Amino acid sequence: MRLEAKKLGYRYANDAWLFRKFDLSLQQGETVGLVGPSGRGKTTLARILAGYDTPLEGTVMLDGQPLPKRGYHPVQLVFQHPEEAVNPRWRIGRILNEGGQPDPFLLQELGIDQGWLERWPGELSGGELQRFCVARALGPQTRFLIADEMTTMLDAVSQAQVWHSVLAIAKQRNLGLLVISHEPSLIRRLCDRVIEWESLVH
Amino acid sequence: MSAHQAGQWPSAAPRPQINRRRRTLTVIVCTAAFIIAAWLGGYLVNLEKLATNLQSRNHAPSLQYLFGTDWLGRDMFTRTVKGLGLSIQVGLLASVSSGVIAVMLGLLASMGKIADRIVSWLIDAFLSVPHLVSLILLAFVMGGGMKGVVIGIALTHWPSLARIIRAEVMQLKSAKYVQISRRMGRSSWWIATRHMVPHLLPQLFVGVLLMFPHAILHEAAISFIGLGLSPHQPAIGIILSESMRYLSMGMWWLAFFPGLCLLLVVRSFDVLGERLRGLVDPRRSRE
Ligand SMILES: Nc1ncnc2c1ncn2[C@@H]1O[C@H](COP(=O)(O)OP(=O)(O)OP(=O)(O)O)[C@@H](O)[C@H]1O
Ligand SMILES: [Mg+2]
């Protein structure tokens, strides 16, 4: 499978264009890093690829087909801040199951404690909560995962643990990963290739 | 007890807050108790006292007849309690129906742009007509009676609550966890019932409570002009309109106590609703 962005253009209201004629291609099974300065539109691009926003110009295609408007989205996005990504009135177990039953192997890999499932989101640390968001995004129908500064709030050890398990799952299921990060060392360690934002936007 | 607490809170700041909280809770409990007593009272009254009793006509208020008796010898206290029960009954049916309409339309507005346009248009259209005018028309068309009044009030009172709910729904719709839910393949209906409704419940509860005073006063008003409850029922509106003829004969108690009690119940709902709103949504209650 191939995730392709063709001639994307986006801007908020009447602000200047964040990007235009933006092309990107991501192959199943590969891990690609995206680096660039702050405030240029990386998160915006991630939202478009995962179907949260519609591009003002251009299209996103999955194997030559437009992205589905309904049903489970094959391109899943993990946000930087997990607190906003969960309903504060739901217990963790329910949040985790929103996209279907998660893989028990994945839960174990991510270091998820069974006891956490009974708690409310406010009773977990940001790092613990983020593991659930990662697990939720890795449902059986996920084909591509976009990690937008996914582990920024984790300490080095947890960061390594989470990435280790995500890479294992990605390899096992042949997923495509797009890693957006400000940490060059992380990107270098994880990715098959790295895209410089500046090189794509003119 | 207070000394004990003063020891627990050596700093000055938290104490007024605790006091305010306790006062709020006291007010909530008292008003709620009064309303429930009035409501249950309507069921518990001794029906024999509602009957005419020509031996005890036109008594002024006394220990035996707290609110006096009328020209047919009916006990005004019993009639008032029964009337308040009826008022609350009508208020309950009408407010809850209004609340249901408001939630349905608020959620409908979240389903799409066109749906939202329609809902917003309906809200504005209904808000632009004065309540009492449309209420009288509706009650007249429905042919009066309890059903007519309830339907009339329910159909005229939903727009302001619907507007609040719609605003809340729109905000929820842009919440990240709701957007994620959609990418997990969940339908609008599923999201509305699982994510939105539980979030809206406190707002809705307060909104419905604050609708009671309007519903009760409107019911009394249209019963008073003869388009509401049947004259055989001791509704407060009926009691007031009947007693008008006797006011000039000095029988002030016929209108005074029922009217006062009605205002007390209405005010209780107002206070209760406002206090609860202060707990649920401090931002809006300060407006
Ligand atoms: N909802 C919005 N409305 C208006 N402007 C927005 C909105 N979201 C983002 N922006 C603006 O668009 C620009 C790009 O934002 P974006 O979050 O995509 O940047 P980014 O590349 O992810 O930055 P960072 O590396 O700091 O995360 C910023 O200038 C931001 O202020
Ligand atoms: Mg960003």
Side-chain angles (χ1 to χ4, degrees):
Chain A
M1 260 192 174
R2 188 173 197 79
L3 179 66
E4 255 178 319
K6 284 187 189 157
K7 298 201 165 80
L8 289 189
Y10 201 86
R11 62 173 174 179
Y12 289 100
N14 284 325
D15 294 353
W17 287 91
L18 284 170
F19 45 84
R20 287 185 96 168
K21 301 215 166 85
F22 187 103
D23 291 316
L24 180 87
S25 166
L26 192 60
Q27 191 67 37
Q28 200 170 7
E30 72 173 340
T31 301
V32 176
L34 177 62
V35 293
S38 231
R40 299 294 172 81
K42 299 185 297 300
T43 297
T44 308
L45 173 75
R47 288 179 58 90
I48 292 173
L49 292 180
Y52 286 81
D53 293 320
T54 320
L56 298 175
E57 294 177 349
T59 48
V60 181
M61 306 279 238
L62 196 62
D63 268 352
Q65 302 289 321
L67 291 171
K69 289 249 179 278
R70 291 168 188 282
Y72 192 92
H73 205 279
V75 184
Q76 288 287 327
L77 170 61
V78 179
F79 291 92
Q80 178 176 359
H81 301 288
E83 299 84 4
E84 299 168 2
V86 298
N87 186 339
R89 288 155 198 266
W90 282 23
R91 279 184 202 279
I92 298 293
R94 192 172 177 204
I95 292 169
L96 189 59
N97 285 327
E98 186 159 19
Q101 283 283 336
D103 187 341
F105 164 71
L106 175 62
L107 297 189
Q108 197 188 351
E109 276 280 300
L110 282 169
I112 284 175
D113 190 315
Q114 286 293 318
W116 294 348
L117 297 181
E118 290 302 310
R119 295 204 207 161
W120 302 100
E123 297 168 353
L124 289 182
S125 77
E128 290 164 350
L129 203 52
Q130 187 68 307
R131 293 163 201 246
F132 287 97
C133 294
V134 173
R136 180 178 58 176
L138 285 171
Q141 299 172 64
T142 301
R143 293 289 167 266
F144 291 89
L145 184 77
I146 302 175
D148 184 10
E149 316 201 17
M150 183 170 86
T151 51
T152 308
M153 74 218 324
L154 270 63
D155 63 75
V157 176
S158 322
Q159 203 173 51
Q161 187 188 20
V162 167
W163 276 115
H164 183 267
S165 35
V166 169
L167 288 183
I169 288 284
K171 184 158 189 174
Q172 184 193 330
R173 299 202 204 143
N174 204 22
L175 304 179
L177 292 183
L178 181 65
V179 184
I180 302 175
S181 173
H182 285 296
E183 288 174 67
S185 61
L186 179 74
I187 297 269
R188 237 181 291 118
R189 216 159 350 110
L190 295 174
C191 302
D192 308 326
R193 70 185 162 99
V194 180
I195 300 170
E196 293 279 344
W197 181 264
E198 308 282 310
S199 72
L200 291 178
V201 182
H202 313 287
Chain B
M1 168 99 182
S2 63
H4 171 71
Q5 251 178 8
Q8 248 182 341
W9 299 102
S11 66
R15 280 197 60 201
Q17 242 186 357
I18 284 183
N19 281 342
R20 200 186 317 148
R21 230 189 140 73
R22 191 184 296 160
R23 201 174 333 134
T24 299
L25 285 179
T26 313
V27 170
I28 287 173
V29 169
C30 290
T31 47
F34 177 62
I35 289 167
I36 291 170
W39 186 35
L40 292 182
Y43 292 103
L44 297 178
V45 290
N46 184 352
L47 286 176
E48 277 169 28
K49 289 194 180 166
L50 281 179
T52 55
N53 176 2
L54 297 180
Q55 258 90 60
S56 58
R57 290 163 59 190
N58 303 340
H59 283 294
S62 64
L63 276 182
Q64 194 187 354
Y65 304 107
L66 277 179
F67 292 1
T69 62
D70 66 4
W71 62 97
L72 292 171
R74 294 175 295 191
D75 178 39
M76 287 311 288
F77 178 75
T78 313
R79 297 198 83 205
T80 302
V81 172
K82 188 81 187 162
L84 291 180
L86 272 175
S87 295
I88 295 174
Q89 183 89 15
V90 170
L92 184 72
L93 289 172
S95 302
V96 168
S97 320
S98 262
V100 169
I101 298 176
V103 171
M104 287 301 180
L105 288 175
L107 290 178
L108 183 63
S110 77
M111 305 274 165
K113 277 210 175 70
I114 297 172
D116 183 38
R117 289 258 175 75
I118 295 172
V119 169
S120 302
W121 183 83
L122 275 176
I123 291 175
D124 290 339
F126 270 78
L127 275 179
S128 64
V129 184
H131 276 172
L132 207 54
V133 173
S134 42
L135 184 53
I136 290 173
L137 281 176
L138 274 169
F140 188 72
V141 170
M142 298 280 161
M146 179 96 139
K147 206 165 104 194
V149 176
V150 168
I151 293 176
I153 296 173
L155 288 182
T156 48
H157 281 65
W158 57 268
S160 44
L161 183 56
R163 187 140 77 173
I164 294 173
I165 301 255
R166 180 191 159 271
E168 197 85 8
V169 162
M170 285 303 162
Q171 212 179 338
L172 270 180
K173 209 184 156 187
S174 64
K176 276 211 181 104
Y177 63 85
V178 168
Q179 297 190 345
I180 290 172
S181 189
R182 192 168 292 278
R183 310 301 145 203
M184 294 278 157
R186 297 306 187 172
S187 67
S188 297
W189 174 250
W190 196 93
I191 290 175
T193 52
R194 309 303 204 289
H195 281 297
M196 295 186 173
V197 169
H199 184 94
L200 296 171
L201 280 182
Q203 280 276 354
L204 180 64
F205 182 71
V206 171
V208 167
L209 260 183
L210 286 172
M211 224 183 272
F212 267 79
H214 295 260
I216 289 174
L217 286 178
H218 278 141
E219 178 267 308
I222 61 173
S223 293
F224 184 85
I225 61 174
L227 286 170
L229 300 195
S230 117
H232 305 300
Q233 287 178 297
I236 302 289
I238 303 285
I239 294 177
L240 291 181
S241 81
E242 281 181 350
S243 60
M244 285 303 121
R245 273 177 288 157
Y246 297 88
L247 276 187
S248 56
M249 294 162 59
M251 293 166 68
W252 54 273
W253 59 86
L254 292 184
F256 178 76
F257 290 112
L260 185 68
C261 288
L262 185 74
L263 290 183
L264 274 179
V265 165
V266 164
R267 184 78 194 122
S268 295
F269 272 112
D270 247 337
V271 170
L272 181 63
E274 287 296 340
R275 290 296 174 130
L276 283 176
R277 181 154 76 177
L279 292 182
V280 168
D281 183 5
R283 188 169 30 97
R284 212 190 303 271
S285 73
R286 236 175 276 135
E287 275 172 15

